[in-house]
Amino acid sequence: MQREMIERAKALLADGTVNRVIGWKAGEFDYDITPAVFTTAEELDAGFLYNDLCAANLSKYLIKESRKEGKILAFLKPCDTYSFSQLLKEHRIWRDHVYVIGVPCEGKVDVDTVKSKGITGICSMRCDGETVRVETLYGEESIKKDEAMADRCLNCKSKKHVVYDELMGEEGDVLDSHRFDMVEKLENMTPDERFAFWRGELSRCIRCNACRNVCPACTCEKCVFDNDASGIAQKAAVDSFEENMFHIIRAFHVAGRCTDCGECSRVCPQNIPLHLLNRKFIKDIDELYGEYQAGADPDTKPPLNTFTQEDAEPSVIYERGGNK
Amino acid sequence: MQRIGVFICHCGTNIAATVDVKAVAEALKHEPGVVFSTDYPYMCSEAGQNIVKDAIRDYHLSGVVICSCSPRMHEATFRKAAAVAGLNPYMVEIANIREQCSWIHKDIPQATEKAITLGKAAIAKVHLNAPLYAGESPVVKRALVIGGGIAGIQTALDIADAGFPVDIVETKPTIGGKMTQLDKTFPTLDCAACILTPKMVDCAQNENIKIYSYSEVTDVKGFVGNFTVTIKRKARYVDETKCTGCGICTEKCPMKKVPNEFNLGMNNRSAVYIPFAQAVPKVATIDPEHCNMLKKGKCGLCAKVCTAGAIDYKQKDEFIEEQYGAIVVATGYNPINLDKFDEFAYSQSKDVITSLEFERLTNAAGPTSGTLLRPSDGKHPHTIVFVQCVGSRDTSGCGKEYCSKICCMYTAKHAMLTREKYPDTDVYVFYIDVRTPGKSFDEFYRRAVEQYGVHYIKGMVGKIVPQADGTLAVQASDLLDNKQLHINADLVVLAAAIEPDKSARPLATMLTASMDTNDFFTEAHPKLRPVESPTAGVFLSGTCQGPKDIPETVSQAGAAASKVIGLLCKDKLTCNPCVAHSDEWMCNGCSACEKVCPYGAITYEDKEFRMPDRTTAIRRVAIVNEAVCQGCGACTVACPSGAMDLKGFSNSQIMAEVDAICK
Amino acid sequence: MENKVTKETILRISGVNPRKCMRCGKCSGTCPSYDEMEYHPHQFVYMVENGEIEPLLKSKSIYKCLSCFACVERCPRDVEPAKLVEAIRLAVIRQQGENHLKPETIPEVLNADLPQQAIVSAFRKYSK
Amino acid sequence: MLKLPIAKLDEFFAAIAAKETLYLPVDNEGGQAQYKEWKEGVSLSRALNTVRSAKDFFFPQTENLMEFKTQGKAIEVIDSRKESEDFVIFGVRACDARSFTILDKVFLVDPVDTYYKTRREHGTIISLACTRPEETCFCPLFGIDATEPEGDMRGWMTEDALYLEPVTEKGTALAQALGDLLEDADAAPVEEQKENTKKILEKLPFSKLDMEEFNGDNLLKLFDSPKWAGLSEACLGCGTCTFVCPTCQCYDIRDFNTGHGIQRFRCWDSCMYSDFTRMAHGNPRLTQLERFRQRFMHKLVYFPSNNDGEYGCVGCGRCLSKCPISMNIVKVIKTLGEDK
Amino acid sequence: MQVNNSEFKPKIVAFCCNWCSYAGADLAGTNRLNYPADVKIIRVPCSCRVNPMFILRAFQRGADGVILCGCHPGDCHYTTGNYYTRRRMTLLFSMLDYLGIEKERTRVEWVSAAEGAKFAATMNDFVETVTKLGENKRLEDLRCKEK
């Protein structure tokens, strides 16, 4: 696939369709891949990479890139196309400056997940079918791919590309995932248990803004948390209230817009399962206002910017069964 | 830092009795920015306002906080006073220490503490107030009256008389409303038709009035001065411009067994019909539910006999869009459905009728040509029982909890007229209370008793059982005599409660006008603004606002007209300056605000920006049309970046209030 | 201690708020036992409201009421006079302090047509 | 050389905690290590290092500096510093232990940061030698010996014992205070462990990077290098690298209105943030390129120029493993180092 | 929650839309309908003006309960504002609940200008509920509580 992609990118560069290519660039090890813009065939040959470790969602870069001169070729995974489509819906990306090639994704290996299995000193990592072979400072290891993937890939919502100019490989389908299982599990806890759970998670937050800055829904010209005039600006979470505040408001601001790409949880240096906040909103929206997948199509009104006269009353949350 | 003056009103004892106003003035004096703090018995009085004006000048105040009654009461008063003294009126904030403090709390220390907190919140807000300047929007000099009864007619005539064009939309084929169905009117007993029909004709002839009969309002957009209304002209299958109202079609129509709604189904009409002789417009209408031509494609007789060639079976509903500066609601009332009152046997016996049916039975244009005859056998009734308060003052869920107001008087009228025309008739009126507050009303009622010998009985009818001999066994209590009465009546007349027309509720939604739980339109103020709806530019006329008799309806109709005229006289309206505003540097151009704006006040523009890093960028940013924005603030929350804020109720102002309250 | 039946007792047993009455008399207008009764349904409401409980306790009227509930059904203000009558009856029975119905006797008197509700209310009334 | 049987580890922690607060790396809900206060039942993490560095103890992420209260026209300034108490940090790795030296060069030079100084004086550091370095480790590049960490007392953990060696007076005092819990021991097992670890350290991929380019003489050349554009283009501008870094020392001072007064606090800042060092006129570094460059120029050029060649990096590798887009100091050193 | 609550006076912030609920609150006053002084009202043009930030802010600053009152759905002075409020607040409150924060501390009620009695009853009920819950501990900001 990588070879094909490079060839196609070179061809599009050569015929002038595009003048840049955004993709993934190899790092020092196999897993430390950096998103990068390539402008020449040589650069592509030297560094362009696409494999089961290319996890970054490239769509957010296109906000800036699409405003530059000329057209950019973007390789987008199914996940990324949802974000891309949502950004188009919000007029954040100039569509005619982007040439999208959809590329398949079989689920990405997550180095933190591998590390969490006790494998340390990873110098090299290679996917071999369903097995991931790891070379470490302390010898070779192998792990099943299923065990090396993060929740977002284990519970992949869709292998379908919702926007593209061209598709490489076969088109996939929207999948039935179990992505709300953990949300449901939390909902079934008592409020005290939930409070303890989230305090345990959110108290680790170091307010590095990685979740926000990587999020393709967080594209504000100026985030309210950076804006002293907003009244809620914070540079560091001084106390537990501010930790909660940041994550509640962030989740609320992306509610109905979050495509559940899972980048927030991937980049969190403290392994906070931030996607569980977003998924709660998605689950509530699905249950209360009908199934809605952000980015799935360009027309459906975002659930928070529309209504029906028959919508549930807020009291529904007092009434929902169990400890929900 | 603002220089703030704080003014605490005693409101006589309304505030001062529960709030220690001196303590409030003293406590607020030490708030940051406060340079003057005082109290006065009546801040809204001229002397009180002068204290405010003087302080603004003497202390160079940049902000004013009035601790008084609700801002809904006197915010405008104090803003005006501030403006006179040279302060921007939007630098005034009101702390509501009467309705929301002194009147609800009894404990003086508690109420005083709350008043201080409310004052502090207002001070905190004023610190962040900025002078606001109202924009202007043009006024479309045309009014719409929805409903063509006496209320609508009177309003339209008055507006037209002042020289403004006005349109009447009436759902029925003719204007005139309920009053056309009445026989005589109390307390003067003049004939309803005699006084109403000239007004109907006036409407038709007035150049400034356009009547959309057999039409409905289906959509309302816009705001005061600039409403865009969609009117559905239902197909009447008769070309209004050609029909002469000669009535030949109605005579020739073979389908003659359609219940005549004008006579409340007590006789029949043809499928093509003119509701009554004096209808305006006097134009035939084909009832598509009963016309054989429209239903089965067979007949076509009316088209053949119409010399004017007015019949058009192919006519379709037509939608027209019109611009109006003001809208008057005059949707009127209907008697309630009596199905829930089995005890009165309304649905079991033809001889149990409503008062409105009684009107038709005594009306010369009615089914009996004005002779009072029993609907069942056409015989003259000798004993008539009138039952008042049927469904009125009823909290059991079967009826309405309010008093329908008109029943006492029309029942007295009916009883009196019956006794006058048919002195051999025994007339009983069962009442709970007789309510006759009105000019010459009680005299009228007493005449019924004293001069005409109507038997007024304090008590209620418990049940009515139709007998085999055709009479009605009426069982009732006489509370004053402490007896149960059994009367064999020939006719029973029920004074059914009245309720707002069913079309009012969806109309209120379209107009964003508020309604009470009974579906009567709410007035902007129950005493001081009784003919205005809280929605600017929407006015109320007649029984859509509450039960009323004819004189009251007419006077309210005139009042609504004068309010409309006052509005239409203006060339421009001052807009509410508390509107949304987008900080284009923070705007993402994501369209979230546009999607939630109910007024379409937000548009987008690709704008060139000189960025801080000295590059140029073209960015899509939101622009708010200040004349169209009504200041609800929906956009401010939809906006994730906080670029959209609301003047006068900004994020920082509201948060400052929150802080002050929670301190 | 003397078991004085007060207005409050009656109001508590019946759950009726006599102040809701607007004196329309429809209860008495509809009452089928009116002529048999010394005190009529509307009077029960007045009298309880005025605290005149004694005469009601002594009156035969409470046994003339058929409990047809027409007055309850037709009252436009939801006052429910029949519940007052029932409450007075209950007060009288309670004053007597007799135990008329024992659980043991139930099987004997049990009848397939007897509504469950009747048994329960009979217990409430006649059992100690 | 002192020795503590591993079975007595809890006893050892308890003995320290009885005197002063003891912090040590503990596994958290995220499956990673963080410093937590030792209490009965808390066990030492087996992870190589904590996500957040040990600098938190002396330079916490947020710290109240003072409070203001106004009454009428008067302003009262309140020192909100709490009475500092002695504390012990156990398990500091060699990289973090070195980071204190770097931070001292910032905070303890004139004008002395008294908040930092007080904490520094009250803290006793028991460092712990590494045995299983990660591929991201490159402390040898900065002359740090992971098997011989700095600190008031240094320790080596073997299968069956914890070996301790007091280094400073504070360390000696602590060792004495623990009394006969610690026994004198032969250093042979420690030497053996050191040998084994050194073999791994030798294999570390970044421990021998060429640093020749990075000195004050090349300042302008490096500053103007066209390569910054490529290096920084994917940078998200988040603060992860700076917040996990043991040597990043920038902070912002902010006021918070509590409703009862003003709390003036400082909190970590990140040169990656768009509002970093924003002043009245605006931001001196307007693009992410400039901000990104600032971070690495500071660590690799400005800091050593001002501090006798000491780099502002200790090679802990946290930024390598935590950067969301896997851009890091090693890639910068490699890319710019090529231009010799 | 076994706390002696007799002394506890909750702080309640009520956001009321100008057209219905604020007028309803005024009517409650006009009719002298009593409710605790712990309730303080903030006037907003429409319930849809209430940003989740305001609600969190109130909790931060020491509120123990936040109630939002607007026109009944369908009666919004601005046609549709309260429909958005309804969705926003349902989701927000659900999220607070998800984080283990007592859901009873937040409420939305529709109170028309004619419902003075409902306003007073609602406030009485809400104050009672929040009093039972006791002090807001889960969304508090200690900095703001220190005196």
Side-chain angles (χ1 to χ4, degrees), chain D residues 10-23 37-40 85-88 174 177-178 181:
Chain D
D10 270 348
E11 209 178 312
F12 167 73
F13 290 150
I16 300 175
K19 287 159 42 61
E20 43 199 294
T21 319
L22 168 67
Y23 298 95
E37 188 183 338
W38 185 86
K39 287 195 178 76
E40 193 68 46
E85 286 177 358
D86 288 344
F87 63 93
V88 174
L174 180 61
L178 291 169
L181 198 58

Side-chain angles (χ1 to χ4, degrees), chain B residues 584 589 603-609 618-623:
Chain B
E584 52 188 30
T603 48
Y604 286 86
E605 202 171 273
D606 284 329
K607 223 172 153 181
E608 199 174 286
F609 284 81
I618 291 175
R619 292 176 43 224
R620 183 176 192 269
V621 291
I623 312 279

Side-chain angles (χ1 to χ4, degrees), chain B residues 187-475:
Chain B
T188 46
L189 295 180
D190 32 10
C191 132
C194 310
I195 55 177
L196 176 64
T197 48
K199 284 190 182 286
M200 292 162 65
V201 174
D202 278 356
C203 278
Q205 289 175 347
N206 193 313
E207 280 178 1
N208 277 329
I209 299 179
K210 189 166 176 185
I211 299 169
Y212 292 106
S213 61
Y214 210 49
S215 301
E216 285 164 14
V217 169
T218 55
D219 190 34
V220 180
K221 285 202 182 72
F223 51 94
V224 56
N226 290 280
F227 292 106
T228 303
V229 178
T230 309
I231 298 164
K232 174 176 153 190
R233 308 206 62 187
K234 292 181 280 186
R236 71 198 311 164
Y237 307 102
V238 172
D239 187 334
E240 246 179 78
T241 55
K242 291 183 186 160
C243 177
T244 59
C246 68
I248 291 180
C249 53
T250 66
E251 283 165 30
K252 298 290 179 198
C253 177
M255 182 60 211
K256 289 234 165 29
K257 295 228 162 138
V258 186
N260 185 356
E261 49 280 82
F262 184 69
N263 282 329
L264 303 160
M266 290 190 291
N267 70 350
N268 291 334
R269 62 159 168 84
S270 47
V272 55
Y273 66 105
I274 297 173
F276 54 93
Q278 301 97 324
V280 170
K282 192 159 185 203
V283 174
T285 303
I286 300 181
D287 177 349
E289 303 219 338
H290 295 98
C291 170
N292 281 336
M293 187 63 191
L294 290 169
K295 267 171 42 185
K296 300 173 193 154
K298 286 180 196 156
C299 184
L301 211 56
C302 50
K304 280 181 205 130
V305 299
C306 181
T307 48
I311 307 290
D312 175 8
Y313 300 116
K314 295 215 162 57
Q315 212 175 59
K316 291 259 166 346
D317 290 351
E318 191 190 340
F319 289 86
I320 49 173
E321 212 177 77
E322 273 288 356
Q323 307 284 324
Y324 299 100
I327 297 177
V328 182
V329 183
T331 44
Y333 73 94
N334 279 306
I336 62 165
N337 185 309
L338 293 178
D339 287 351
K340 284 184 188 158
F341 295 90
D342 312 344
E343 64 267 34
F344 297 133
Y346 177 70
S347 46
Q348 296 158 41
S349 170
K350 281 186 162 183
D351 297 332
V352 180
I353 59 173
T354 66
S355 302
L356 196 57
E357 286 163 347
F358 187 84
E359 292 280 354
R360 296 313 300 151
L361 283 183
T362 54
N363 189 305
T368 57
S369 304
T371 319
L372 180 59
L373 299 172
R374 299 207 320 167
S376 60
D377 53 12
K379 286 187 185 147
H380 176 65
H382 292 281
T383 308
I384 305 181
V385 167
F386 288 90
V387 187
Q388 293 199 178
C389 288
V390 176
S392 293
R393 309 168 67 190
D394 182 324
T395 51
S396 71
C398 297
K400 304 289 176 183
E401 60 180 317
Y402 50 85
C403 166
S404 296
K405 199 172 184 178
I406 52 176
C407 329
C408 285
M409 285 303 289
Y410 69 59
T411 302
K413 174 188 77 179
H414 291 163
M416 191 189 286
L417 289 174
T418 307
R419 288 281 298 159
E420 184 176 67
K421 263 186 166 173
Y422 311 102
D424 58 337
T425 316
D426 264 341
V427 175
Y428 298 89
V429 175
F430 285 91
Y431 69 92
I432 302 173
D433 299 292
V434 176
R435 296 177 168 178
T436 52
K439 191 175 170 184
S440 310
F441 281 15
D442 205 60
E443 297 92 314
F444 184 80
Y445 152 62
R446 291 313 305 166
R447 260 170 69 204
V449 177
E450 294 168 23
Q451 191 176 331
Y452 291 95
V454 176
H455 305 298
Y456 264 80
I457 300 165
K458 159 77 185 173
M460 195 59 181
V461 171
K463 64 178 172 184
I464 295 168
V465 184
Q467 303 293 300
D469 65 357
T471 60
L472 297 158
V474 176
Q475 179 182 307

Side-chain angles (χ1 to χ4, degrees), chain B residues 30 40 147 313 362 520 539 559 648:
Chain B
H30 302 291
Y40 188 73
Y313 300 116
T362 54
F520 286 114
F539 302 88

Side-chain angles (χ1 to χ4, degrees), chain E residues 126-141:
Chain E
F126 188 58
V127 170
E128 195 188 318
T129 308
V130 175
T131 308
K132 271 188 204 143
L133 284 175
E135 216 179 327
N136 157 35
K137 288 278 177 201
R138 296 191 167 177
L139 256 188
E140 70 181 347
D141 191 330

Side-chain angles (χ1 to χ4, degrees), chain D residues 13 56 62 84-85 90 97 100 139 141 194 201 204 206 213 260 280 297 328 335:
Chain D
F13 290 150
D56 293 30
T62 66
S84 276
E85 286 177 358
F90 178 86
F100 305 141
C139 60
L141 184 63
K194 282 187 186 173
L201 289 169
L204 290 180
F206 309 134
E213 229 359 54
H260 315 290
M297 286 295 282
N328 52 55
T335 309

